[in-house]
Amino acid sequence: MSDDTPRPSLLPANSSPLERALDLGFARLLERIDPSFPELMNPAKTPLAFLPYLGADRGVSEWSTEATEAEKRLTVELAWPTARQAGTRKALENAAKGLQLMPEVRAWYEQTPPGPRYSFSVRAFTEQPYSEEIDARLDRRLADAKSERDTLKVSVGLSAFGSHVIGAATVCGELTTVYPIVIEGLEASGQAFMAAGLYTVETSTIYPQGS
């Protein structure tokens, strides 16, 4: 665009030469600026320092300043889908995924035997260290994602692969929140759970052959 090309202006017809000159000069300065708005509103590309503000803009109510960058970006990314689908299975899954958990959600009619009406069983697996703080944060996110009539039974476990040690164990009782357990020496793969509720354990020692 040449300097002689007319530019759109909001100035009135009776504007002064100085006003027109300032309008023209500022227009040239603005043309040098690359607009940052598209990337600024993208959770995956926005600067880390702007993430809390973008989260507030999207209605994120559960936020931790100590969380990893990946968790913060995922939380903001899933904020709108979770709010739009609140009260559904997908919203409950998104609530757990925002904390970098791998959820498995089952409605009352999918359980054996069927659970109470309008209840959900939420099992979440993690490969990261788990704590009571994350447990409380998960509860708050699930409370925001469910409908008023829904009730939830939540358990969290560690996805464990490798060698662990235990003889033989039988666990029975009522389980509430579940925390990760790491057992040395026992070959296992898949999900391992340790109950934080009421349970009893019966063990028998396994000795190596030849001892």
Side-chain angles (χ1 to χ4, degrees):
M1 182 180 292
S2 66
D3 293 340
D4 297 330
T5 303
R7 292 177 171 84
S9 175
L10 297 177
L11 293 176
N14 63 345
S15 57
S16 68
L18 176 59
E19 290 173 330
R20 290 193 294 272
L22 289 172
D23 182 51
L24 181 62
F26 280 120
R28 291 175 179 172
L29 289 174
L30 289 173
E31 287 174 0
R32 302 176 187 175
I33 301 174
D34 293 328
S36 60
F37 189 79
E39 288 192 358
L40 195 65
M41 302 304 288
N42 184 341
K45 297 182 179 180
T46 195
L48 178 59
F50 188 71
L51 273 174
Y53 305 101
L54 185 57
D57 177 70
R58 299 194 175 192
V60 174
S61 59
E62 200 292 312
W63 184 265
S64 172
T65 56
E66 304 300 323
T68 64
E69 178 180 345
E71 180 189 309
K72 290 178 179 178
R73 293 189 184 278
L74 190 57
T75 294
V76 176
E77 179 183 346
L78 293 174
W80 279 349
T82 303
R84 283 197 301 264
Q85 299 171 313
T88 67
R89 180 199 308 270
K90 191 64 177 177
L92 296 175
E93 291 176 347
N94 285 340
K97 287 178 180 178
L99 289 172
Q100 296 182 294
L101 303 174
M102 296 166 283
E104 177 185 294
V105 180
R106 303 181 71 182
W108 61 274
Y109 54 82
E110 298 173 317
Q111 301 170 27
T112 306
R117 283 180 174 271
Y118 310 120
S119 67
F120 284 90
S121 169
V122 181
R123 300 180 69 190
F125 307 103
T126 178
E127 296 177 352
Q128 307 295 327
Y130 196 75
S131 65
E132 291 185 9
E133 178 187 357
I134 298 178
D135 187 61
R137 294 180 62 202
L138 175 61
D139 287 344
R140 291 196 293 271
R141 293 195 181 198
L142 290 173
D144 290 338
K146 75 179 187 69
S147 68
E148 289 295 328
R149 71 181 181 184
D150 291 339
T151 58
L152 304 178
K153 182 178 180 181
V154 183
S155 59
V156 179
L158 175 69
S159 292
F161 299 88
S163 296
H164 313 285
V165 151
I166 195 172
T170 302
V171 180
C172 59
E174 180 71 21
L175 305 185
T176 54
T177 304
V178 177
Y179 295 94
I181 181 172
V182 178
I183 311 170
E184 298 181 80
L186 176 68
E187 290 292 332
S189 63
Q191 287 77 31
F193 282 87
M194 179 178 181
L198 300 175
Y199 63 93
T200 58
V201 179
E202 298 175 1
T203 63
S204 60
T205 305
I206 297 178
Y207 295 96
Q209 286 186 338
S211 59

